[in-house]
Amino acid sequence: KGVTMAAIADLARGDVQVAGRAVVTAGAAVLRAVEVTANATGQGITAVSGDWVCGRSVSAAGALADKFTVELLGPGSGYFKA
């Protein structure tokens, strides 16, 4: 998993960031320093048991659609949360 650098239309190509710090759109409120995954629409949310963890939040998001920063784990480094 990664973070798109801009909106990508269906069947189009685009850049995807897979490592480092990325600014993402929240799918719900997210605390700082928690494991992050993506919801069905690609927004960042707090990971719960069984989710694929792709990063850790560096900043918090107070509500849906807020922007926050995630430190991505990098290629091959994600894991399922126990």
Side-chain angles (χ1 to χ4, degrees), residues 18-35:
V18 296
R21 288 189 176 190
V23 176
V24 301
T25 302
V30 177
L31 297 174
R32 188 178 68 80
V34 298
E35 295 164 312

Side-chain angles (χ1 to χ4, degrees), residues 7-73:
I8 302 173
D10 289 344
L11 304 176
R13 296 178 186 209
D15 294 325
V16 177
Q17 180 180 344
V18 296
R21 288 189 176 190
V23 176
V24 301
T25 302
V30 177
L31 297 174
R32 188 178 68 80
V34 298
E35 295 164 312
V36 175
T37 191
N39 65 15
T41 60
Q43 297 167 314
I45 58 172
T46 302
V48 297
S49 181
D51 283 342
W52 182 258
V53 176
C54 56
R56 180 168 288 275
S57 58
V58 176
S59 61
L64 172 71
D66 281 358
K67 303 290 186 192
F68 70 107
T69 303
V70 173
E71 182 73 38
L72 298 172
L73 296 177

